[in-house]
Amino acid sequence: MPDPLLPEPLLTVRGLTIDIPVGGGTLHAVRGIDFDVNRGETLCIVGESGSGKSLTSLALMGLLGGRIDRRAARMEFDGIDLTGANKRTMRALRGDRMSMIFQEPMTSLNPAYSIGDQLTEALLLHRDISRDAARARAVELLEKVGITAAASRLGQYPHQLSGGLRQRVMIAMALMCEPELIIADEPTTALDVTIQAQILRLLVELGREMNMAMILITHDLGVVARVADKVAVMYAGELVETGSADEVFNAPMHPYTRGLLRCIPQPGKTERGARLGTIPGIVPSLVGKVSGCPFRTRCDQVVDACRQDVPHRHPGAGEHAFRCVHENGLRAGGEVVT
Amino acid sequence: MTATSKAETPVLELRGVTKTYSVKQGLFGTAKPLTAVNDVSLSLGRGQVLGLVGESGCGKSTLAKILLGLEAPTQGEVRVDGERIDAADRRKLARRIQPIFQDPYSSLNPRKSIEDIVSLPLLVHDVGDSASRSKAVREILDIVGLPARVMQTYPSQMSGGQRQRVAIARALIMKPEIVICDEPTSALDVSVQSQILNLLGDLRAEFGLTYLFISHDLAVVEHLATRVAVMYLGRIVEETQVADLFDTPRHPYTQALLKSVLTPDPGQGVPDTELGMEYPNPIAPPPGCHFHPRCPVAMDKCRTDRPYPVATPDGHVECHLFGGEQTQPTKSA
Ligand SMILES: Nc1ncnc2c1ncn2[C@@H]1O[C@H](COP(=O)(O)OP(=O)(O)OP(=O)(O)O)[C@@H](O)[C@H]1O
Ligand SMILES: Nc1ncnc2c1ncn2[C@@H]1O[C@H](COP(=O)(O)OP(=O)(O)OP(=O)(O)O)[C@@H](O)[C@H]1O
Ligand code: SF4
Ligand SMILES: [Mg+2]
Ligand SMILES: [Mg+2]
């Protein structure tokens, strides 16, 4: 029930579905997911490899390949309907009001152009601004992301920078037009832990400063816990649990979320050298008809009813929601293992 | 500075190991030396797990390759059970030290069946006949938790976790004493990672294996290792028992590393590592302490004099804060 007193979310997604034609039929990669992102808020999407995180972000940006079928009951960015948006509308939004940071900066930085040219491109395209003013803004942002001798970097080329510096350039580039929404797909996965912490800290600080909303995609639960306001746990193309970071980490309900948290060694909590929790089995194939709970092949709480449609459940007063046949995510008589 | 009591010969020992590459910058640049591993001495007792941590390019994989005999050290020596091993004895070395690498996708030959992949070391070392090799494969697959039916399948038909199990089976079939794990779970999802970590722990308990465990995930290292070595620009700047390292990190770089561990505790934000951001250039390392340009507590001396290892109750640290000056250089420096 939308609260009339609350402002409309910046981004609303309802029933996002992504189908990909593959050799043996159709891959139902993302199936009817719902989420909202408010202004200035950080949503983390976490899930294992192949769960559909990158496809979801590309769908929002209108960057899916032509063969891929994307549908949604509703997909709105600040009141603009993205489901029917044409190429021109999307191009006008991208890099200006919403921008994206990819995992591997070398795939999105063009090796043939200088850092300065690439940084200023979006600004020159979207704003009525002089070349000098754009370069001044580029230097300002490079300094903001902690790059020393920023002015002299403008003439450098991507291959002359280390991985950590390139990732910073990517962030600066995404921020050039002060977007309202940033989608960052594994922005720090390839980096050292110290650099990762520095870059995440920077993103959080800049986000706050510019009241920017962020969708951060990662498979690292530590990153999620430290950065997220809201968390969406993705498994095999569905959001199995969503809620505030506090709800999802401190009161996880879905068997998959609970399982994930048992798999990682938690310093101070897990006994050193003790056996870790596991989630045996592998992700099911999503080619052809997919029905019931996608986690049932690996779930320790599975019952016959898991083959049928699985309800959304709302355990508390807040936005916390999960999908499971069991009211509290546990089979009758089941016990929470921590 | 040693992991074992005087009486027991360490199963693995490095003495003053240095590896220098010659690298050319640009097409017409002159070749310059790059010291990837710089005068490293380490020793490891049987059944220990030495976690090796440090940022990208600090020399972890180079050290691993030297131990595997894939690279010859420029200086220094490697001893296994007290016996000096030269790169020329690679075959001999391979019986005792086996690797598990990061990428379960590229480290297995896609055109070979799982049976062929796992039995290859037996074939190379001319162990047994084809029937006994087949039996050995079945046994080792069982140990790593794979059904015998996977023997006739190919890597492309397996999940990442299954492939890493195959890589572990291949490493263990020669019954090595030491396993060098270079980021063995970095490419895996956490749900699969925990299975592999459990397996490595079980195998160690069962067979008394000794591991060198390279990882960038400090929570994993803290969980699995018995000792930890922290590497920075080719040097081991701190080495000690796992609890000692995580409870009382001494070197400022170790402290920064531990600060950057993001435990899954919401509401705590992202910590400030207080670490300068620029990576050092390995071809022209900073003078004095290599870490000084990024060190939040660097002193004048750090900018000019290199620190030497100082013994701590359980290991060593190399930093001027703890002494570390020495008028004469060590033998191999
Ligand atoms: N262009 C494509 N053609 C065919 N299948 C695709 C395509 N893009 C993605 N997929 C498949 O869709 C599923 C979801 O992919 P996606 O890239 O969104 O996963 P992800 O959650 O981002 O995973 P990772 O953590 O590995 O990046 C995967 O099974 C993937 O193989
Ligand atoms: N064959 C080689 N020729 C020249 N330089 C090399 C060679 N192999 C490694 N190096 C250099 O030696 C240094 C150490 O590399 P190494 O691969 O050991 O680092 P690492 O600690 O394993 O890093 P990562 O965490 O990225 O795997 C780096 O500066 C690297 O560029
Ligand atoms: S619906 Fe069934 S299979 Fe899915 S998470 Fe709940 S108990 Fe497990
Ligand atoms: Mg992805
Ligand atoms: Mg390496």
Side-chain angles (χ1 to χ4, degrees):
Chain A
M1 213 40 43
D3 185 335
L5 293 178
L6 285 180
E8 277 285 294
L10 177 65
L11 180 74
T12 301
V13 175
R14 292 290 176 273
L16 174 62
T17 299
I18 301 173
D19 285 341
I20 307 178
V22 290
T26 302
L27 173 72
H28 301 285
V30 175
R31 299 183 308 286
I33 64 172
D34 307 333
F35 60 90
D36 289 331
V37 185
N38 295 311
R39 285 188 185 276
E41 186 177 66
T42 297
L43 166 74
C44 283
I45 304 181
V46 62
E48 50 193 276
S49 188
S51 56
K53 306 181 298 294
S54 295
L55 284 176
T56 301
S57 61
L58 293 171
L60 295 173
M61 296 292 286
L63 291 173
L64 288 174
R67 294 183 310 117
I68 300 180
D69 175 35
R70 177 200 76 182
R71 284 166 317 209
R74 206 175 143 204
M75 200 156 83
E76 273 173 25
F77 174 81
D78 193 29
I80 303 168
D81 174 22
L82 299 181
T83 55
N86 59 25
K87 285 209 166 77
R88 240 183 84 211
T89 314
M90 285 314 295
R91 212 174 298 136
L93 284 175
R94 273 200 306 264
D96 183 9
R97 300 187 61 194
M98 46 201 274
S99 58
M100 184 143 182
I101 304 171
F102 295 93
Q103 170 170 352
E104 179 32 66
M106 276 320 259
T107 57
S108 32
L109 286 175
N110 189 327
Y113 292 91
S114 70
I115 301 298
D117 283 343
Q118 299 190 56
L119 275 169
T120 51
E121 185 194 342
L123 204 57
L124 292 170
L125 183 75
H126 295 293
R127 302 285 154 84
D128 186 15
I129 186 174
S130 74
R131 199 159 282 275
D132 281 350
R135 290 179 85 80
R137 168 92 182 137
V139 170
E140 181 192 327
L141 272 170
L142 287 178
E143 281 167 355
K144 259 215 167 89
V145 299
I147 293 183
T148 51
S152 70
R153 304 281 185 187
L154 294 184
Q156 288 189 316
Y157 288 80
H159 72 267
Q160 295 173 298
L161 305 179
S162 71
L165 279 181
R166 282 199 289 260
Q167 199 56 296
R168 278 162 209 264
V169 169
M170 278 291 298
I171 294 174
M173 204 153 105
L175 294 172
M176 280 296 282
C177 295
E178 291 208 26
E180 290 139 89
L181 174 69
I182 281 210
I183 302 176
D185 190 354
E186 310 262 11
T188 58
T189 305
L191 302 175
D192 287 315
V193 288
T194 53
I195 310 286
Q196 159 165 294
Q198 289 167 11
I199 289 191
L200 288 174
R201 205 177 145 81
L202 192 78
L203 268 175
V204 170
E205 273 169 12
L206 292 172
R208 211 166 284 152
E209 206 178 298
M210 300 180 180
N211 194 32
M212 200 168 63
M214 180 157 68
I215 298 177
L216 188 116
I217 291 171
T218 177
H219 61 265
D220 185 328
L221 290 160
V223 170
V224 177
R226 301 308 189 94
V227 173
D229 297 308
K230 284 199 310 213
V231 180
V233 182
M234 196 156 189
Y235 184 81
E238 289 179 15
L239 295 186
V240 295
E241 182 158 6
T242 50
S244 70
D246 183 51
E247 287 161 343
V248 171
F249 281 90
N250 294 327
M253 297 301 285
H254 196 279
Y256 176 60
T257 317
R258 288 193 178 128
L260 274 185
L261 288 168
R262 286 195 298 264
C263 284
I264 47 171
Q266 301 197 39
K269 289 185 194 157
T270 322
E271 190 196 333
R272 226 169 248 160
R275 291 181 69 79
L276 299 166
T278 58
I279 306 177
I282 55 167
V283 182
S285 161
L286 301 175
V287 178
K289 188 172 179 296
V290 181
S291 63
C293 174
F295 188 54
R296 68 176 185 274
T297 54
R298 302 172 72 186
C299 181
D300 57 3
Q301 304 296 323
V302 65
V303 292
D304 273 351
C306 305
R307 293 170 191 283
Q308 263 96 61
D309 266 1
V310 177
H312 289 266
R313 300 189 178 275
H314 303 271
E319 287 185 87
H320 198 182
F322 68 101
R323 290 190 80 172
C324 178
V325 297
H326 307 300
E327 204 168 333
N328 56 2
L330 294 173
R331 203 152 46 191
E335 222 179 288
V336 184
V337 196
T338 45
Chain B
M1 244 179 292
T2 94
T4 44
S5 64
K6 290 273 173 322
E8 195 192 337
T9 313
V11 64
L12 183 63
E13 200 180 4
L14 293 169
R15 293 190 187 167
V17 169
T18 296
K19 177 73 195 181
T20 305
Y21 292 109
S22 174
V23 294
K24 229 170 158 181
Q25 285 191 315
L27 201 51
F28 304 107
T30 49
K32 294 206 172 104
L34 182 157
T35 305
V37 172
N38 184 359
D39 189 12
V40 165
S41 299
L42 274 176
S43 88
L44 198 56
R46 193 172 299 281
Q48 300 275 350
V49 179
L50 176 68
L52 181 60
V53 300
E55 66 195 14
S56 183
C58 72
K60 304 180 295 297
S61 294
T62 305
L63 195 64
K65 284 183 207 147
I66 291 171
L67 291 175
L68 290 164
L70 300 174
E71 291 272 14
T74 315
Q75 263 179 56
E77 59 183 54
V78 177
R79 286 173 183 263
V80 177
D81 281 331
E83 192 186 336
R84 187 175 167 160
I85 299 280
D86 291 311
D89 305 324
R90 228 178 108 176
R91 276 170 62 102
K92 201 160 134 200
L93 196 63
R95 283 185 151 235
R96 313 173 94 171
I97 310 188
Q98 280 285 323
I100 303 169
F101 291 115
Q102 167 172 1
D103 191 352
Y105 296 92
S106 61
S107 66
L108 304 180
N109 186 338
R111 280 185 297 274
K112 294 263 194 273
S113 72
I114 301 305
E115 175 166 10
D116 288 345
I117 289 171
V118 176
S119 64
L120 183 71
L122 296 174
L123 208 63
V124 169
H125 292 280
D126 211 8
V127 180
D129 56 18
S130 111
S132 74
R133 283 197 290 266
S134 192
K135 181 163 165 279
V137 171
R138 207 164 304 131
E139 279 169 11
I140 201 77
L141 287 177
D142 184 49
I143 288 172
V144 303
L146 289 172
R149 67 183 143 78
V150 303
M151 284 169 73
Q152 298 319 320
T153 60
Y154 290 80
S156 63
Q157 295 162 269
M158 306 190 109
S159 71
Q162 287 174 322
R163 287 182 219 204
Q164 204 55 307
R165 284 172 195 266
V166 171
I168 294 173
R170 176 179 61 180
L172 294 184
I173 198 151
M174 291 300 296
K175 310 224 178 329
E177 295 156 76
I178 303 163
V179 183
I180 310 288
C181 312
D182 194 349
E183 307 262 12
T185 60
S186 321
L188 304 175
D189 281 311
V190 290
S191 67
V192 180
Q193 164 176 295
S194 69
Q195 296 171 29
I196 299 296
L197 294 178
N198 285 346
L199 175 62
L200 289 174
D202 294 347
L203 294 171
R204 172 180 164 237
E206 196 169 337
F207 301 107
L209 296 176
T210 305
Y211 295 136
L212 176 74
F213 188 87
I214 299 176
S215 176
H216 64 268
D217 186 332
L218 281 114
V220 166
V221 169
E222 178 169 10
H223 186 72
L224 206 72
T226 59
R227 301 188 65 85
V228 183
V230 180
M231 200 165 187
Y232 191 81
L233 216 60
R235 299 281 305 159
I236 304 290
V237 296
E238 181 162 5
E239 198 265 338
T240 185
Q241 252 182 349
V242 64
D244 184 45
L245 188 104
F246 284 92
D247 296 346
T248 9
R250 293 178 177 83
H251 197 284
Y253 178 62
T254 311
Q255 293 181 1
L257 269 183
L258 297 199
K259 264 193 209 142
S260 54
V261 177
L262 303 177
T263 55
D265 301 307
Q268 305 218 337
V270 184
D272 183 358
T273 61
E274 289 174 55
L275 191 68
M277 318 204 236
E278 286 282 4
Y279 278 147
N281 178 354
I283 294 174
C289 170
H290 288 342
F291 184 59
H292 87 256
R294 297 167 76 193
C295 181
V297 292
M299 307 166 287
D300 281 345
K301 186 167 31 178
C302 308
R303 293 178 241 282
T304 49
D305 302 355
R306 68 160 277 196
Y308 287 88
V310 183
T312 56
D314 276 317
H316 85 267
V317 61
E318 186 173 280
C319 166
H320 285 304
L321 290 172
F322 302 88
E325 42 294 269
Q326 185 170 318
T327 37
Q328 292 157 311
T330 50
K331 58 168 175 52
S332 44

